[in-house]
Amino acid sequence: MKTFENENYYQVLQVPPDARTDEIKHAYREALAMYEEESIATYSLFSEDQREALLQAIETAFDTLVDADKRAAYNHMLIDSGQVDVALFSGQVHRKTAVLTDTPILSQEKSLNQWVQKRAGSPEIRQISDAIASAELLSGQALKQLRQAYGIEIREINAITKISSGILKMIEADQFEHLPAEIYLKQFLKSYAEILHIDPAHVVDSYLKSMARGKSDTGTF
């Protein structure tokens, strides 16, 4: 039966020692989806205590590796103790870049939701969210800034909402002339806002106002 005993934090999250921060965040969300209580893949394999221990190990690994200072200290410990070859931290060993897996959509959505809830209280995200909430005219750049502050990739929103990556990028770039009809755009904006835990009604209203202003300024109707 799977346990994380005697595994280092990189092994817990199944990432290489030179993994980028975005890869660590993605691996963390994948791990939550795998071991959460409702996971179809593991629901019958663990007792509640075992599951809690696994999830706690995942949280500890993530909290250490996502913090630059904690990670540096942890890396030194692994190297000094001989647990990991220093070459693995210097990019001298070839590795493959992490990619999205075939995790079921509901599990992806739930793990991403848990991630957003975990990060929502950070000062940076609160500042951006508050600015969006008070904006009369909302730009796609503000939405992009919030998405990037969460460390969420376009492809993750695409995987959950099925909104094409191209349309999501056009929304963020305020490419109003290329966006779909308003009836569809409203739903896309609503789904985007729900992913980021911001008021969908406000996002739709303020973005459409910004779009109307932009078209008026350029003479496009």
Side-chain angles (χ1 to χ4, degrees), residues 181-204:
E182 187 173 305
I183 187 173
Y184 301 112
L185 179 58
K186 285 181 177 180
Q187 184 57 50
F188 295 158
L189 290 168
K190 178 176 180 293
S191 297
Y192 190 121
E194 288 172 345
I195 292 287
L196 299 182
H197 288 207
I198 48 181
D199 181 11
H202 173 71
V203 168
V204 171

Side-chain angles (χ1 to χ4, degrees), residues 154 163-171 175:
I154 285 281
I163 304 170
S164 77
S165 296
I167 289 177
L168 290 168
K169 290 177 181 178
M170 286 188 288
I171 288 173
Q175 294 179 351

Side-chain angles (χ1 to χ4, degrees), residues 107-122:
S107 292
Q108 289 184 43
E109 184 173 4
K110 183 164 185 177
S111 62
L112 188 57
N113 182 61
Q114 290 174 327
W115 167 253
V116 171
Q117 288 179 332
K118 180 182 179 69
R119 293 278 293 142
S122 73

Side-chain angles (χ1 to χ4, degrees), residues 92-195:
Q92 296 176 22
V93 178
H94 176 72
R95 70 179 180 85
K96 293 182 179 180
T97 301
V99 298
L100 291 176
T101 66
D102 295 327
T103 306
I105 295 299
L106 288 177
S107 292
Q108 289 184 43
E109 184 173 4
K110 183 164 185 177
S111 62
L112 188 57
N113 182 61
Q114 290 174 327
W115 167 253
V116 171
Q117 288 179 332
K118 180 182 179 69
R119 293 278 293 142
S122 73
E124 178 188 12
I125 288 175
R126 287 174 59 186
Q127 181 179 14
I128 300 171
S129 297
D130 289 346
I132 289 174
S134 62
E136 180 180 356
L137 300 176
L138 178 61
S139 71
Q141 180 60 37
L143 295 174
K144 180 179 181 179
Q145 186 181 10
L146 181 58
R147 173 180 64 77
Q148 292 180 330
Y150 274 119
I152 297 172
E153 299 180 33
I154 285 281
R155 60 180 179 169
E156 293 180 277
I157 297 179
N158 161 254
I160 293 171
T161 66
K162 299 306 180 184
I163 304 170
S164 77
S165 296
I167 289 177
L168 290 168
K169 290 177 181 178
M170 286 188 288
I171 288 173
E172 292 185 345
D174 294 326
Q175 294 179 351
F176 304 131
E177 67 278 13
H178 299 305
L179 290 174
E182 187 173 305
I183 187 173
Y184 301 112
L185 179 58
K186 285 181 177 180
Q187 184 57 50
F188 295 158
L189 290 168
K190 178 176 180 293
S191 297
Y192 190 121
E194 288 172 345
I195 292 287

Side-chain angles (χ1 to χ4, degrees), residues 6 37 46 71 86 98 103 186 207:
N6 299 322
E37 186 175 355
F46 304 103
R71 184 178 182 182
V86 66
T103 306
K186 285 181 177 180
Y207 188 89

